[in-house]
Amino acid sequence: MSRTFLRLTLAQRLQHLFMFVPFIILVVTGFPIKFYDSSFWTVLLNLIGGIENARFIHRIAATIMLIDFIFHVFYIFYNIIINKTPLSKMYLLPNMKDARDIVQNIKYFLFFTDERPKFHKFSYIEKFDYWAVFWGMFIMGGSGLILWFPIFFSQYIPGDFIQIAYIAHSDEALLAFLAIIIWHFYNVHFNPRVWPANKVWYKGTLTEEEMKHEHPLELKEILESEKNND
Amino acid sequence: MHAINFKKYIFQLSLFLFSIIFSFEKNIDNENCLLCHGLPMLSVQNEEGEFRSFEVQSDHYSNSIHRNISCRDCHESINTFPHEQNIEPVNCAKSCHITRPFEMKIFSHKNQEKQHKISDHGFNPKHTIKENAEKPSCKYCHSNKVFDDIEIFNENETSHCANCHTGESLNNVINHIDFHISHRSSENSTEIVELCSSCHDNNSKMIQFDISTSQVEGFNHHFHGKAMRRGLNEVANCADCHSSHLILSKTDPNSSIHEDNILQTCSSNSSCHQNPTLEFSKSAVHSQPTSDNNPLIFYIEWGFILLTAGVMALLFAHILMDVGRYLFDKFNGKNNE
């Protein structure tokens, strides 16, 4: 049996789980309100049991997702402060190599070169996914809370912000949904290199073969550090 | 023992029972107006050749709010049988002999009429006769539901209409009656919004008064409108905020949406929002932001549309190029993976 490499720890996999299950529930219970004329969403709304159930379930799912996000923020600070992880080991931070990788990849797509960029632990594609969710949590979570408790927030913000929250929640929801089903699903399901699915979200590990293809720089670093430790 | 006349007893008992049974059939028509007006599709043709229905469906009238008022209590000018063809229209503000429960006074709609008169829906000398006539009167919104639903005009029931009215003209009759029954008020939010929209969504009507029709669309896109469309009937409809009769511009201090009154309107009037703040009550519920009336919201909305379109265009381009290169290499036997 070939060697496997840990990519996502159990804590990280659980954070992903508690992000995507509420996400699906939020889409299913929220879109019938966004698309109030659509017959497709009417059928779904009736399956849920009407608008009142949908609103209730939406808020439960939103709460779970926000707790997951807050846990994630604590998790990051725990890693920085208690585990003393150096910035160079925080692989999701964008850097100049990402910009070079984008240029290299586009060159490759357009036949200017035959060499694909070599990625470390996270490619710019995965970093985009991560930071899109990070930004989305503030927009969706913030506007969602304003819409949930409009009177409470109106003590501190102008009334127009309620309307802005309404627009932001509705429009950002569509962007998030499209980004997930098109971009994220392409990269982890529909991409011919990973089809039918990237199983790392529950397995947590990659094989040496997969590491060589998708994360050659990380593999090199791991193997080198092992050599130094020997 | 006192002997009873058995035959007489049976006769009296059955008379008694019959009278109880028939007393459940609430019918105030003691002057038998329904002799004619109960005839299905009874109608009169005017000089323009249009038909107007004068049928009164006793089932519906007996279940309406006015069921205890006999016809001539409101149609006062009728004194002969058969009556004149042109009779005076009903005056809704007339005092009638019905009192509210436990209130020892004569009931009248005068109050509502007074409010309506000074509201923006009332007569305004600045407007032309035609414009004033376009405004809704009592009966435009309240029509007592004596007409049945359009659904009852199925083929069987219109078959006798078709004896005289063929083709177009049959449709005209049905459309005419449909029009009369479709703009009726009730406590149902959906129907109230529909009633108000019947004019406020009609640009040719609203342009005379320099009123935008964007409120209707704005309402449909906002919290209340969407919740209503999805079946939350207790949600605020037009009349909950603008009141039913004293409908005034927000600049008028008597208006329910004037900034001094709006807090009250959002909260206690309809027990919708508990302890609202002034900023909360100022938040628009049916505006369609434009670059003039609310540039901040207008440009934020466009910002999100451009952001979504831009991001999705870039992501799509990336995916298509990726698939394209992959397939090209695959079919040309190259392996750069």
Side-chain angles (χ1 to χ4, degrees):
Chain A
M1 200 173 137
S2 70
R3 189 178 163 192
T4 58
F5 293 82
L6 184 68
R7 177 160 171 78
L8 296 173
T9 63
L10 182 64
Q12 289 163 343
R13 277 175 278 154
L14 283 175
Q15 285 173 53
H16 175 248
L17 181 80
F18 279 103
M19 184 62 54
F20 84 76
V21 172
F23 183 90
I24 294 166
I25 296 171
L26 287 167
V27 168
V28 170
T29 53
F31 275 35
I33 300 172
K34 179 171 174 63
F35 302 112
Y36 58 91
D37 267 344
S38 137
S39 52
F40 171 77
W41 289 109
T42 306
V43 171
L44 256 169
L45 186 67
N46 290 340
L47 282 175
I48 298 163
I51 180 92
E52 305 219 44
N53 283 5
R55 277 154 53 107
F56 180 70
I57 298 168
H58 195 83
R59 287 163 182 184
I60 300 271
T63 309
I64 294 171
M65 188 187 257
L66 278 181
I67 291 172
D68 188 50
F69 178 64
I70 292 165
F71 175 83
H72 178 68
V73 174
F74 275 108
Y75 176 84
I76 295 169
F77 281 107
Y78 181 84
N79 276 337
I80 295 173
I81 296 162
I82 313 288
N83 282 353
K84 307 237 183 290
T85 311
L87 276 186
S88 60
K89 294 273 180 192
M90 305 200 70
Y91 297 112
L92 275 164
L93 287 174
N95 53 33
M96 279 314 289
K97 186 177 174 299
D98 294 325
R100 289 198 297 273
D101 284 349
I102 292 173
V103 174
Q104 176 73 18
N105 217 5
I106 289 171
K107 271 186 178 167
Y108 169 73
F109 292 157
L110 301 175
F111 300 95
F112 289 112
T113 172
D114 278 344
E115 205 176 319
R116 290 178 72 207
K118 288 189 168 51
F119 297 123
H120 200 273
K121 182 155 184 171
F122 294 110
S123 70
Y124 69 88
I125 292 168
E126 288 147 340
K127 287 182 187 179
F128 177 87
D129 261 345
Y130 176 82
W131 290 105
V133 174
F134 210 95
W135 136 278
M137 288 317 296
F138 287 104
I139 302 287
M140 294 307 286
S143 60
L145 283 171
I146 292 176
L147 295 175
W148 189 354
F149 306 107
I151 294 174
F152 172 77
F153 282 99
S154 68
Q155 295 170 15
Y156 312 106
I157 56 172
D160 270 356
F161 276 50
I162 297 173
Q163 213 187 338
I164 292 172
Y166 184 60
I167 292 167
H169 201 75
S170 175
D171 289 2
E172 178 72 18
L174 185 66
L175 177 56
F177 174 70
L178 290 176
I180 292 295
I181 65 154
I182 292 172
W183 180 248
H184 189 58
F185 276 21
Y186 172 75
N187 292 314
V188 298
H189 292 289
F190 304 125
N191 187 327
R193 298 176 194 90
V194 284
W195 177 261
N198 187 335
K199 297 182 184 69
V200 76
W201 70 271
Y202 65 88
K203 273 187 176 167
T205 56
L206 289 179
T207 62
E208 191 161 359
E209 194 64 16
E210 285 168 323
M211 287 294 281
K212 237 182 244 170
H213 276 235
E214 304 301 330
H215 309 285
L217 296 184
E218 189 195 2
L219 181 66
K220 206 171 120 192
E221 196 179 283
I222 293 171
L223 296 179
E224 267 170 18
S225 72
E226 278 174 351
K227 215 182 270 173
N228 294 342
N229 287 344
D230 282 345
Chain B
M1 198 176 127
H2 179 64
I4 56 163
N5 183 333
F6 192 69
K7 272 185 185 168
K8 202 173 165 190
Y9 169 73
I10 290 292
F11 176 74
Q12 285 175 343
L13 183 68
S14 42
L15 205 64
F16 175 68
L17 289 177
F18 267 105
S19 63
I20 287 178
I21 291 166
F22 283 102
S23 69
F24 283 111
E25 178 86 350
K26 294 186 207 94
N27 200 339
I28 197 69
D29 186 27
N30 46 17
E31 296 178 325
N32 208 6
C33 298
L34 289 175
L35 180 67
C36 300
H37 287 280
L39 292 175
M41 306 293 284
L42 175 81
S43 52
V44 170
Q45 193 174 22
N46 67 9
E47 279 141 21
E48 283 95 50
E50 289 171 335
F51 281 90
R52 189 172 158 202
S53 169
F54 285 95
E55 183 199 347
V56 175
Q57 286 173 338
S58 67
D59 273 7
H60 283 79
Y61 191 76
S62 329
N63 288 312
S64 80
I65 191 113
H66 290 146
R67 61 183 171 270
N68 291 328
I69 300 168
S70 64
C71 307
R72 288 208 300 139
D73 276 1
C74 294
H75 298 279
E76 286 176 293
S77 63
I78 296 174
N79 293 313
T80 54
F81 175 81
H83 62 79
E84 299 283 316
Q85 197 178 338
N86 292 317
I87 59 167
E88 277 174 38
V90 166
N91 172 14
C92 296
K94 171 190 177 292
S95 305
C96 39
H97 302 290
I98 297 295
T99 56
R100 290 183 186 201
F102 314 116
E103 242 179 82
M104 293 308 287
K105 56 182 179 191
I106 287 169
F107 181 72
S108 162
H109 291 299
K110 219 165 236 156
N111 225 352
Q112 283 85 344
E113 204 212 18
K114 222 158 65 191
Q115 292 188 341
H116 174 265
K117 218 174 231 166
I118 58 169
S119 81
D120 285 352
H121 285 153
F123 180 84
N124 184 340
K126 280 185 217 147
H127 291 141
T128 65
I129 296 169
K130 188 177 164 283
E131 282 167 356
N132 273 311
E134 290 270 28
K135 295 175 183 173
S137 62
C138 311
K139 281 182 285 172
Y140 185 82
C141 303
H142 301 279
S143 90
N144 203 10
K145 288 216 170 235
V146 289
F147 297 98
D148 205 341
D149 219 70
I150 187 66
E151 264 87 21
I152 69 142
F153 295 106
N154 59 31
E155 266 184 17
N156 285 336
E157 260 144 325
T158 52
S159 60
H160 63 282
C161 314
N163 290 336
C164 305
H165 308 283
T166 49
E168 267 303 279
S169 91
L170 175 61
N171 289 339
N172 283 342
V173 172
I174 293 174
N175 282 341
H176 180 80
I177 292 167
D178 179 33
F179 179 80
H180 267 273
I181 61 174
S182 55
H183 303 147
R184 307 306 170 199
S185 78
S186 80
E187 292 301 308
N188 182 318
S189 280
T190 317
E191 286 176 18
I192 288 177
V193 171
E194 247 170 50
L195 172 71
C196 299
S197 306
S198 70
C199 291
H200 280 274
D201 203 17
N202 182 340
N203 206 26
S204 60
K205 263 190 185 175
M206 287 300 115
I207 211 158
Q208 305 172 58
F209 304 103
D210 198 22
I211 292 174
S212 156
T213 53
S214 70
Q215 278 89 350
V216 174
E217 214 194 324
F219 177 82
N220 289 335
H221 286 148
H222 270 75
F223 324 101
H224 298 137
K226 282 185 175 181
M228 197 197 79
R229 292 281 193 97
R230 284 311 195 186
L232 270 185
N233 200 39
E234 65 268 34
V235 88
N237 59 51
C238 315
D240 283 329
C241 304
H242 293 277
S243 79
S244 324
H245 298 112
L246 194 62
I247 301 170
L248 291 165
S249 151
K250 67 176 172 189
T251 54
D252 190 310
N254 289 320
S255 166
S256 59
I257 55 163
H258 184 264
E259 59 178 7
D260 292 344
N261 306 329
I262 185 102
L263 264 182
Q264 176 80 358
T265 302
C266 290
S267 58
S268 55
N269 277 356
S270 41
S271 64
C272 293
H273 299 284
Q274 264 109 50
N275 308 319
T277 62
L278 191 60
E279 282 300 332
F280 171 79
S281 67
K282 276 194 211 156
S283 175
V285 288
H286 55 52
S287 76
Q288 292 281 73
T290 64
S291 54
D292 292 328
N293 71 19
N294 204 331
L296 177 71
I297 291 175
F298 179 80
Y299 289 116
I300 284 180
E301 187 153 27
W302 270 102
F304 270 108
I305 291 170
L306 292 178
L307 176 76
T308 305
V311 168
M312 290 323 296
L314 289 176
L315 297 186
F316 249 117
H318 191 280
I319 290 170
L320 289 179
M321 288 191 301
D322 191 18
V323 174
R325 177 76 209 234
Y326 178 87
L327 292 177
F328 181 88
D329 286 353
K330 186 117 193 146
F331 288 115
N332 289 289
K334 280 197 204 169
N335 188 5
N336 300 315
E337 299 295 320

